[in-house]
Amino acid sequence: MSGVQRVRTTNVADLEFWPVTRKSLTKPLRKTEKSPEEEVMALDEKNGLPSSAIVEPLTPQLHSVSIPSVLRRNLSLNASCSSDASSDSFHSCASTGRIYRTNSTAVRRRQLALKSKTSVLDGISEPLQDSLQVKKRCAWVTAHTDPHYATFHDEEWGLPEHDDKKLFELLVFSGALAELTWPAILSKRHIFREVFADFDPMIVAKFSDKKLTAPGSTASSLLSELKLRAIIENARQISKVIDEFGSFNKYIWSFVNYKPVISRFRYPRQIPVRTAKADVISKDLVKRGFRSVGPTVIYSFMQVAGITNDHLISCFRFQECVTAAEGKEADVTTNGVDDKRTAELIESDTCRAIDELSFTSE
């Protein structure tokens, strides 16, 4: 009997030593085992707060073994209600059973970083799919190339040109490369066209050198006086060529037998600065009185006007320019045949008229 009483006294001592801890720990265990629906029903019956809400927040000083399970249950219930209730929250590690504190602001930053990464990836996913389908261009046209020049490469450079005004414009631009770059020229293209009357050689041939090269004029801000005088003189010589050959197009394309020279280069280093054909054309132009038409300028003019196709064979424009040249050659041949037929008809009509006149005179 005395032994039993000793056990009771020790139990009583334990109960007196842990009165608050047993109440605060055992009650939440019973309450937290209930589902949220049961807690709502209990609230309706008691008209008060649930027992889990009365539990005082635990401090890091408690290291009881039963604490992590209680915290997990409390956090599982409270996390669904308000995940951002406080800036600091406790989390239990399932593998070690330890309690550690993490700042919710750091968690938010990580979540925002993940969202930004996913949004960026989602935004790039479509361009990446498009980039796989992007047409391959010449090696000197990169992602950092000026947009004006990239468009010029995709639409005009290397395409066979047969319009006299356009040929005169490209000849002027090729000469301007000695002072400006292609992006700079293309950005001022509208100003060039305004100053030189849309590059009509007949109109530019009548320009006054003094007015065009006067200080403060719009033309003087584009090129040097030497280049401006050369443009006017070349317009005058082009007008003479038109009178002689019928068009500047026929004259300039006659050097390549009206067919573009297809280079079929694989690498940019293979493209020359000048060729023998450019030397021949340059010499003939100089004899006719043209200025600033050296072999290098003429070869640049041949490239841009499509007289020679210097697109790399890997560029999508290479085959397009070849196809366009073949179509224009067919048009030229059909036009040539039609011209011959019309000439034959005119000759036959004139012969008949002469025969009739001779018969009536007899």
Side-chain angles (χ1 to χ4, degrees), residues 257-275:
N257 197 18
Y258 305 99
K259 295 180 180 180
V261 179
I262 301 175
S263 302
R264 299 184 184 276
F265 293 127
R266 291 181 177 271
Y267 307 103
R269 63 175 179 271
Q270 297 175 330
I271 301 175
V273 179
R274 54 188 288 183
T275 59

Side-chain angles (χ1 to χ4, degrees), residues 39 55-56 75 78 89 115-116 142 206 219-220 222 226 311 315 327 332 344-345 353:
E39 289 185 357
V55 177
E56 296 179 357
L75 288 173
N78 294 331
S89 61
K115 289 181 181 179
S116 62
T142 62
K206 300 177 182 179
S220 62
L222 297 174
L226 182 63
H311 282 286
C315 179
V332 170
E344 291 176 357
L345 291 173

Side-chain angles (χ1 to χ4, degrees), residues 158-232:
L159 187 69
E161 186 59 55
H162 297 277
D163 183 69
D164 284 352
K165 292 183 180 179
K166 195 66 178 292
L167 288 171
F168 179 46
E169 179 184 13
L170 298 178
L171 181 63
V172 171
F173 289 165
S174 299
L177 287 174
E179 299 179 357
L180 301 173
T181 60
W182 272 120
I185 292 171
L186 296 173
S187 63
K188 301 178 182 179
R189 193 173 193 175
H190 62 287
I191 303 176
F192 275 98
R193 289 177 175 176
E194 290 177 2
V195 171
F196 296 105
D198 289 334
F199 292 97
D200 189 341
M202 299 299 180
I203 298 176
V204 178
K206 300 177 182 179
F207 280 3
S208 174
D209 297 353
K210 293 182 180 180
K211 290 183 180 179
L212 191 67
T213 60
S217 62
T218 306
S220 62
S221 64
L222 297 174
L223 296 170
S224 63
E225 182 179 349
L226 182 63
K227 291 295 181 182
L228 294 176
R229 292 182 182 275
I231 291 172
I232 297 174

